[in-house]
Amino acid sequence: MMDAGLVWFGIVDNGVLVLAMVAGVSLDRVWMPARWRSPALSAIVAGAVGNTVSDGLAAVPMGARAVLAVVVGCVVGPVLAGVVVGAWRIVSDGLAGDGRRRVED
């Protein structure tokens, strides 16, 4: 038999994630610099924030240390991914020579 508490946890956890992503799609015009505007990137960032909030809330019954550990774990992945993507954009813009993105023929 399924544990109703765990089913409810999954509904809330993914519900917060989906709502954050949907909200994030339209927020790119508000909080992102023009060069980086992208509904997809906004949804990813909003999803990461929504996931961090929902997972942190889920850890509350386990205590403050668990909440902190979960939140730190949720933040490290997206931050590292952002650093890698940012570095890649800087390198690829530099390779283009004139600051514009290269277009493949």
Side-chain angles (χ1 to χ4, degrees):
M1 200 74 179
M2 277 194 280
D3 183 346
L6 292 176
V7 171
W8 182 246
F9 170 84
I11 291 169
V12 171
D13 187 39
N14 281 326
V16 170
L17 175 64
V18 169
L19 290 174
M21 290 175 69
V22 168
V25 169
S26 60
L27 290 177
D28 66 320
R29 289 178 236 110
V30 176
W31 64 275
M32 292 188 77
R35 180 175 184 199
W36 290 77
R37 281 192 189 139
S38 162
L41 181 58
S42 293
I44 291 168
V45 171
V49 170
N51 184 60
T52 301
V53 170
S54 66
D55 287 359
L57 290 173
V60 167
M62 294 178 254
R65 286 187 129 158
V67 171
L68 180 61
V70 167
V71 168
V72 168
C74 286
V75 169
V76 168
V79 167
L80 288 177
V83 168
V84 169
V85 169
W88 179 256
R89 288 186 65 114
I90 290 168
V91 169
S92 66
D93 285 350
L95 294 175
D98 62 357
R100 291 182 280 160
R101 297 180 102 183
R102 285 190 276 177
V103 176
E104 301 295 326
D105 292 326

